[in-house]
Amino acid sequence: MAFDYDSELRYLDPSFRASLGIRSGDHVLDVGCGSGRTTRDAARIAAEGRVVGVDVSQARIEEARELAAADGLRNVVFEVADAQTHPFRDAEFDLVMSRFGTMFFTDPMAAFTNLARSTTTGGRLVMTVWQERAVNEWAGPLIDAILGDSAEAPADDSAFSLADRESTRSLLESAGFGDVGFSDVSRPVWYGADVDAAFDAVLQLRGPQEVLGRFTGAALHRAMGRLRTQLAAHATPEGVLFGSRAWIVVARRR
């Protein structure tokens, strides 16, 4: 079963939705749309416009298409596409939005330049990105607990590639955006109703998978035990919650 990002991000979503400012006639692009929850939400508001969701995962896009059809949405389409290189039409979109889908570009300058090209003059870019690893409990303390006495940090820090405000501002301005602003969002991520559910969910995530892959035999068993202990320490009546910090980045096409 695929990891349920919509459930994980349930406490972060309201701030993201409030920042979008979608209008009924907008043409919208959702970058890294996954199974399309954010895309479908946008399509309901942009009822007289058009919404396009793109993702590199064929399986996620197929799921998104099925869910949109079940909802009876006729103004939304989903495409398997890499937003970094996809030939969108010039000035095609009034809004480019992304919920944690823009941190993984192999060439961020090329990607945001492509997105700027496809955005109308004065059009908006709104994206949610993670702040640095150290202020995110799901990435810092959780991974540290699995590692135990091992001092070696995870090799993949791509999830935090847009964490630094000044470098991200410079990137977006060089790509063709202006009026770049950052809003701090501090809300928990949700991993499951109880420790067992959270344990199964976390094992599907790339970060924990990477560090657990360093262990074998008894050492792996102990690492799994440390993971379960850490999850138990974050169990609440609302589920297993870990603190998170993100930026909502808003910019306009110059």
Side-chain angles (χ1 to χ4, degrees):
M1 183 175 63
F3 184 80
D4 187 353
Y5 290 101
D6 293 331
S7 292
E8 179 198 22
L9 302 173
R10 59 178 63 184
Y11 294 110
L12 289 155
D13 278 347
S15 297
F16 177 58
R17 284 196 298 268
S19 71
L20 293 173
I22 300 172
R23 299 162 299 193
S24 63
D26 276 346
H27 286 204
V28 180
L29 173 65
D30 189 3
V31 177
C33 66
S35 58
R37 215 288 306 283
T38 51
T39 327
R40 297 193 307 277
D41 287 348
R44 293 185 182 95
I45 301 171
E48 299 176 15
R50 178 173 179 266
V51 183
V52 178
V54 298
D55 200 283
V56 296
S57 169
Q58 178 75 46
R60 292 283 189 176
I61 288 296
E62 289 176 358
E63 181 183 5
R65 288 169 176 161
E66 292 173 1
L67 291 170
D71 286 349
L73 294 171
R74 299 180 180 275
N75 63 330
V76 59
V77 296
F78 294 96
E79 300 179 14
V80 179
D82 184 348
Q84 177 173 304
T85 57
H86 189 72
F88 303 110
R89 295 195 303 273
D90 290 350
E92 182 175 357
F93 301 106
D94 304 296
L95 169 66
V96 174
M97 57 183 275
S98 181
R99 184 187 65 172
F100 299 109
T102 55
M103 299 96 64
F104 304 104
F105 293 128
T106 57
D107 187 341
M109 179 58 71
F112 284 108
T113 299
N114 192 41
L115 293 175
R117 180 191 55 77
S118 68
T119 306
T120 58
T121 300
R124 296 154 287 151
L125 168 70
V126 181
M127 60 183 183
T128 308
V129 302
W130 295 119
Q131 295 186 32
E132 61 268 23
R133 179 185 293 277
V135 299
N136 280 286
E137 287 184 345
W138 60 268
L142 179 63
I143 297 299
D144 291 343
I146 300 173
L147 287 170
D149 295 332
S150 173
E152 186 178 353
D156 184 3
D157 248 5
S158 57
F160 311 100
S161 65
L162 299 176
D164 182 77
R165 283 183 292 180
E166 292 313 308
S167 61
T168 298
R169 185 191 310 277
S170 177
L171 169 66
L172 294 178
E173 289 176 346
S174 296
F177 292 99
D179 299 326
V180 183
F182 296 79
S183 299
D184 181 21
V185 180
S186 179
R187 299 291 291 156
V189 293
W190 186 92
Y191 281 144
D194 54 35
V195 173
D196 287 341
F199 185 79
D200 291 340
V202 167
L203 290 181
Q204 300 177 62
L205 293 172
R206 181 165 54 182
Q209 286 178 350
E210 192 265 311
V211 293
L212 284 169
R214 304 176 187 181
F215 300 99
T216 59
L220 175 59
H221 181 75
R222 290 192 295 271
M224 299 277 269
R226 291 192 297 270
L227 170 58
R228 184 175 287 276
T229 297
Q230 183 73 353
L231 294 171
H234 286 78
T236 76
E238 289 74 41
V240 178
L241 304 177
F242 280 80
S244 77
R245 296 283 292 275
W247 297 120
I248 295 177
V249 185
V250 179
R252 287 203 176 263
R253 176 72 167 98
R254 292 199 299 266

